[in-house]
Amino acid sequence: MTTPPGNPYAQQANPAAPAGQWAAPQGHGPYLTCRFCGSAPAVDVTFRAHRGLLVLMTFRKLEGPMCHGCGMQVYRKLTTETLWQGWWSPLSLVLFTPLTLLWNVVASAKVKKLQAAVPAPY
Ligand SMILES: [Zn+2]
């Protein structure tokens, strides 16, 4: 596809963009798309959940590029699970649950900075 000369708003696809990332306008570099909905912009984050089971504990994480909407959904879901399942072992009570909640707050700050997502053009 060629663009007419003199059109200042024309955007050309960036042929150097790796697979899985849609082409950004020249000069801005490729950027990530959401792993769930494919929207952009997205940021690479990891959200965690913790569950204390008296003497056992489980740790889960969900990572990957996420847009604002999907990232906030994952943040709320895993944080809510941690808030009611995370306190039921001694080590979880004093260490792992507070750290997991703190980690998720820090990760959610990255997602909150993103603008509203727009669908990827493919
Ligand atoms: Zn998304």
Side-chain angles (χ1 to χ4, degrees), residues 34 37 67 70:
C34 177
C37 68
C67 69
C70 297

Side-chain angles (χ1 to χ4, degrees), residues 33-42 65-71 117:
T33 57
C34 177
R35 66 175 284 189
F36 298 109
C37 68
S39 300
M66 296 181 208
C67 69
H68 178 86
C70 297

